[in-house]
Amino acid sequence: MGIHLTVRLGALAAAAMLTLGACGATAGKDDTKAGGTLTGLRIMVPNTPGGGYDTTARTAAKVMGDTKIANTVQVFNLPGAGGTVGLQRTVNEKGNGKLAMQMGLGVVGASYTAKSKARLTETTPLAKMIEEAGAIVVPKDSPYKTIGDLIAAWKKNPKKVAVGGGSSPGGPDHLLPMQLAKTVGIDPKQVNYVSYDGGGELLPALLGNKIAFGASGFGEFLDQVEAGQIRVLAVTSASPIAVLKDVPTLKASGVDLVFTNWRGMVAPPGISSADKQAWIDALTRMHDSKEWKAELAKRGWTDSFVTGDQFGSFLTQQDQSVADILKQLGLA
């Protein structure tokens, strides 16, 4: 079938601190000047600390601060229901030009599987920032030394070999093992998938051997990989990842699957055109900085920067594609 979610899905693809006030706050005249320093910006992360959204948001905030694009960008977490608690709050913050939400494919899927009343198509698209390959990971003492070892055991008893992911059903960490299962001949309905709210919850479950393996963005595990706590059996990109130079791709391991996640930022609906442009200008300046390029290289992220209406068109396409896929799986 060849469905492309920017997740490149092969055949049948497989998803409160905001009371900080300032609702409806808008950028002042100085904030919208090209090259000016913005003030009072906040980025909401709609899941727990330590996950991919959290890492991306905090990295972006740091770069914007270090480069004087913005003064002290506040990043805060509002987890729940696969990101849809944060999505609903973003939609409720109509007109608040100081707020953005870090998001990605997982929130698109969760908006359907969690039966959210809010939709990403209601928000104001700001920018798609990065793409990131997935990884199949195990704790250091796992009996599975290669992806082939894991797949053999998984095929023998799918329900016994639990897989964890940092997203709800319909999110990328759920779609990845479902796609992998189908590709290697396992009925996705037999997969024992355990959902965690972001990488911050997935990691201790993996280290505590509560699951046999994890499926998530590889960037969430780099520190633990370097510390020798976790082993990466395979990455889901088309080509090897520089920061994981000794790790094979699924394709190189004989598994015909490529899968890529994406992340971006949206703002509440109804913000002024000046506020929208101020955010887009700030994120564009951040993207063009040497500091951001260094972070891309350090974290193995793929640059996929598009803004405004172009990101909006992409978001609409993603929303429809995910809805179609989840309906095929009986999840929406």
Side-chain angles (χ1 to χ4, degrees):
M1 227 169 113
I3 298 172
H4 181 84
L5 284 184
T6 298
V7 172
R8 296 176 197 109
L9 303 178
L12 174 73
M17 190 175 165
L18 232 147
T19 55
L20 289 165
C23 287
T26 58
K29 291 182 180 179
D30 290 342
D31 290 344
T32 60
K33 290 180 181 177
T37 300
L38 298 172
T39 59
L41 300 185
R42 296 181 293 155
I43 301 174
M44 178 204 299
V45 176
N47 56 18
T48 54
Y53 292 160
D54 191 65
T55 301
T56 306
R58 293 182 190 280
T59 301
K62 183 178 186 303
V63 170
M64 284 194 282
D66 289 348
T67 55
K68 311 301 184 189
I69 294 168
N71 286 329
T72 316
V73 180
Q74 181 195 13
V75 178
F76 62 96
N77 300 78
L78 189 67
T84 58
V85 170
L87 173 60
Q88 184 66 65
R89 190 58 189 248
T90 301
V91 171
N92 290 349
E93 288 278 328
K94 183 176 181 179
N96 184 353
K98 293 289 192 176
L99 177 68
M101 181 178 75
Q102 183 72 64
M103 48 71 71
L105 178 62
V107 180
V108 180
S111 69
Y112 287 97
T113 58
K115 312 299 182 187
S116 172
K117 292 182 180 179
R119 284 283 178 267
L120 278 164
T121 49
E122 298 178 70
T123 65
T124 302
L126 297 177
K128 179 161 75 85
M129 301 160 68
I130 62 166
E131 293 181 0
E132 182 183 47
I136 305 300
V137 297
V138 295
K140 64 178 180 180
D141 56 353
S142 169
Y144 312 122
K145 305 302 180 187
T146 68
I147 190 68
D149 293 342
L150 173 60
I151 289 172
W154 199 22
K155 291 175 73 172
K156 188 174 181 179
N157 195 338
K159 291 188 176 182
K160 184 178 178 182
V161 181
V163 50
S167 61
S168 309
D173 292 5
H174 172 254
L175 294 172
L176 170 52
M178 295 303 163
Q179 272 299 102
L180 180 58
K182 184 171 180 63
T183 302
V184 301
I186 298 171
D187 180 355
K189 293 181 180 179
Q190 297 296 308
V191 173
N192 180 8
Y193 177 76
V194 184
S195 175
Y196 296 92
D197 195 358
E201 290 189 4
L202 173 61
L203 183 60
L206 187 64
L207 294 174
N209 292 297
K210 293 182 179 179
I211 50 178
F213 70 102
S216 192
F218 71 86
E220 302 192 26
F221 304 109
L222 285 179
D223 290 344
Q224 289 72 32
V225 171
E226 291 175 3
Q229 296 175 304
I230 284 177
R231 290 185 288 111
V232 183
L233 300 185
V235 290
T236 67
S237 49
S239 303
I241 302 296
V243 293
L244 296 170
K245 59 183 179 180
D246 297 324
V247 177
T249 63
L250 287 173
K251 280 250 184 191
S253 304
V255 180
D256 189 18
L257 177 65
V258 172
F259 183 102
T260 310
N261 189 16
W262 60 269
R263 297 187 193 121
M265 284 194 197
V266 297
I271 67 171
S272 70
S273 57
D275 284 342
K276 177 181 177 180
Q277 195 58 51
W279 270 109
I280 290 174
D281 288 347
L283 291 169
T284 300
R285 290 168 61 198
M286 180 206 73
H287 166 262
D288 293 343
S289 71
K290 67 180 187 300
E291 288 85 354
W292 180 251
K293 289 176 171 53
E295 291 291 347
L296 292 176
K298 172 184 173 183
R299 300 178 186 280
W301 291 338
T302 299
D303 187 4
S304 62
F305 194 75
V306 296
T307 63
D309 292 343
Q310 189 175 355
F311 179 39
S313 296
F314 172 83
L315 201 53
T316 299
Q317 175 266 323
Q318 291 284 283
D319 189 76
Q320 185 60 59
S321 296
V322 169
D324 292 345
I325 286 165
L326 294 178
K327 287 174 184 175
Q328 293 177 42
L329 293 172
L331 294 172

